[in-house]
Amino acid sequence: MRSLLSLAMRSAWNRRGTLSLVVASIALATLLLLSLERMRTDMRESFSQAVSGTDLIVGARTGPVQLMLYTVFRIGGATSNISMSSVQALQGHRAVAWVVPVSLGDSHRGFPVLGTTPAYFQHFRYGDRQPLALAQGQPFRGDLDGLFETVLGAEVAQRLGYRLGQRITLSHGAGGTPGLEHGDKPFTVAGILARTGTPVDRTVHVSLQGIQAIHLDWAAGSPMPGLVIPAEQARKFDLEPKEVTAALVGLKNRAAVFAVQRHVAALADEPLIAVLPGVALDELWGVIGVGERALLAMSGLVAVVSLAGLVAVVLAGLSERRRELAVLRAVGAGPRHVMLLLAAEGALVTLAGAVLGCVLTFAFIAAAGPLMQTRFGVTLQLSAPTQSQWILLSAVVVAGMLASLVPALRAYRLSLADGLSPRA
């Protein structure tokens, strides 16, 4: 058997020009299958670990998925805000343990800005109920003395090279349009959060009063002509927010979650919705699951086409190799040996393509990982293949071995005289 494998390797090497195209085709198919599966797995893990310990997310009445995506993942936009009076009424419910209001809409050099209270750093959890930790500095104080303090996510600080005590300016809206900057009211970096692998890493955190202060001389999304309120005078105004984007809610007992949800939906002052994060994520997976399966099916079709190319190349080469196979038969190789030789060649080509595909997958994840983290807050793990990836990789190799049996069976049926007799 060892001599047969050696012969198969030498035979494949002699036809390396043609077979290298087949190897590249199988490698690309493997890359598509493994990278899509890795992105699907890591995306679900990143989304599921982005928030934990929060029982409800309350916002203006809209779709649960839209509210979840905007509030937690900073994707999309809010339909409208909710009044602080509703947030305070919710805080007074007997089943509610804590409420953290959040305000979104501004940005800093492409990173979202989140206005909140110091309670955010106490109650927000991610992963397996892990609390936020500061790598440097301290949280903003949330009072007038710390009005223009900010806490940066780890990705923001790393990408932009910020340090404690450095001053930054915020932009109005998410696009960072020139001329729509709050340049007259800079914020000082008071703290930098430790990396979490969630959208928190790419978020600039400021106080709700800070959000109000930078918009004192703004109206309808643009500066008010002729009105400029310097930063040192902003503290003289009432900076308590009248409305926020949403509120994160923690309950004293999770058994009361549906009762509080019904209470929020029944509020008469304004139409609100209370979303369970886990339920919203399940709904999201239901929406994108069809697309995931479609992409995986397309990758599978690419793999099938690649293996069909392997069969076609080996079959096309049989007519040129009849004399070679006949000589092997003449020196004592039986039909079974010839069939095993062709099958081994196909298996080696498939295995080489699968290994190259694995290498390309690791390279792709290493290159695309930082971009996915920065743009979407999704962390791609550069780790050993998961169980599902091993299944896909094994399926490619087994399918290649089965496909190589087609030309092997064709060679098995060739007679010795057919190969030694020249054709006119």
Side-chain angles (χ1 to χ4, degrees):
M1 187 63 183
R2 184 177 301 177
S3 59
L4 195 65
L5 285 175
S6 177
L7 184 61
M9 292 176 64
R10 293 184 180 183
S11 177
W13 179 253
N14 287 333
R15 292 177 293 113
R16 57 186 177 275
T18 303
L19 293 181
S20 61
L21 298 178
V22 180
V23 170
S25 177
I26 296 175
L28 290 176
T30 304
L31 168 64
L32 280 174
L33 284 170
L34 297 186
S35 59
L36 282 176
E37 181 61 23
R38 170 60 73 180
M39 285 193 291
R40 185 188 71 85
T41 303
D42 288 349
M43 185 180 297
R44 292 203 173 198
E45 185 176 356
S46 294
F47 272 57
S48 62
Q49 292 190 355
V51 60
S52 64
T54 297
D55 298 305
L56 290 170
I57 299 175
V58 177
R61 192 164 293 174
T62 182
V65 174
Q66 181 182 0
L67 179 60
M68 177 79 173
L69 287 177
Y70 187 56
T71 305
V72 178
F73 302 103
R74 329 288 191 246
I75 299 174
T79 55
S80 60
N81 292 333
I82 62 176
S83 65
M84 278 300 293
S85 59
S86 296
V87 175
Q88 292 165 358
L90 181 61
Q91 177 70 73
H93 194 281
R94 63 180 181 276
V96 174
W98 53 266
V99 176
V100 176
V102 295
S103 181
L104 291 156
D106 290 335
S107 64
H108 172 68
R109 297 182 63 176
F111 292 100
V113 172
L114 175 72
T116 185
T117 65
Y120 175 86
F121 303 101
Q122 300 174 13
H123 299 297
F124 187 85
R125 298 288 186 271
Y126 68 97
D128 189 16
R129 292 182 174 268
Q130 296 172 261
L132 296 176
L134 282 158
Q136 302 177 45
Q138 59 187 5
F140 55 74
R141 285 168 285 182
D143 54 18
L144 292 181
D145 291 332
L147 182 61
F148 295 110
E149 292 180 342
T150 179
V151 175
L152 306 180
E155 186 70 20
V156 180
Q158 179 183 356
R159 297 278 294 182
L160 302 180
Y162 288 153
R163 302 178 303 276
L164 293 180
Q166 193 164 350
R167 288 192 165 191
I168 66 172
T169 57
L170 307 185
S171 299
H172 190 79
T177 305
L180 295 181
E181 293 186 355
H182 304 286
D184 59 332
K185 298 179 180 68
F187 284 75
T188 302
V189 179
I192 298 175
L193 291 168
R195 186 171 292 276
T196 65
T198 70
V200 172
D201 293 343
R202 55 189 184 92
T203 301
V204 177
H205 306 83
V206 300
S207 67
L208 290 174
Q209 291 80 5
I211 293 290
Q212 291 295 113
I214 62 178
H215 292 101
L216 285 174
D217 46 10
W218 284 60
S222 60
M224 299 175 65
L227 178 61
V228 177
I229 299 177
E232 56 271 14
Q233 296 183 12
R235 293 177 176 86
K236 300 179 181 180
F237 292 82
D238 178 16
L239 299 179
E240 289 302 317
K242 304 299 185 293
E243 57 183 24
V244 292
T245 303
L248 309 179
V249 180
L251 304 179
K252 298 175 183 177
N253 188 344
R254 291 210 66 188
V257 64
F258 296 110
V260 176
Q261 192 177 35
R262 289 192 297 269
H263 169 76
V264 171
L267 289 175
D269 294 340
E270 59 181 324
L272 300 178
I273 184 175
V275 176
L276 281 74
V279 174
L281 281 177
D282 289 340
E283 186 175 336
L284 176 63
W285 303 143
V287 172
I288 68 175
V290 177
E292 288 180 346
R293 291 190 290 272
L295 287 174
L296 199 59
M298 291 178 63
S299 302
L301 288 176
V302 173
V304 170
V305 171
S306 301
L307 296 176
L310 170 63
V311 174
V313 167
V314 177
L315 280 176
L318 275 181
S319 59
E320 301 176 0
R321 300 180 63 191
R322 286 189 174 186
R323 182 64 61 89
E324 172 192 344
L325 298 178
V327 170
L328 289 176
R329 294 282 306 277
V331 298
R336 182 174 61 88
H337 296 93
V338 173
M339 184 181 72
L340 289 175
L341 175 66
L342 270 291
E345 287 184 16
L348 288 172
V349 171
T350 304
L351 190 60
V355 171
L356 180 58
C358 288
V359 174
L360 292 176
T361 300
F362 278 102
F364 170 76
I365 293 174
L371 179 63
M372 293 287 288
Q373 173 66 36
T374 302
R375 293 287 182 88
F376 308 108
V378 176
T379 303
L380 296 183
Q381 300 291 337
L382 191 62
S383 59
T386 61
Q387 181 180 359
S388 55
Q389 286 181 309
W390 278 119
I391 292 175
L392 289 174
L393 187 61
S394 301
V396 171
V397 175
V398 171
M401 291 180 178
L402 293 176
S404 63
L405 291 178
V406 176
L409 291 173
R410 178 75 180 91
Y412 178 84
R413 297 173 58 186
L414 293 177
S415 65
L416 178 60
D418 181 65
L420 292 177
S421 301
R423 293 190 171 189

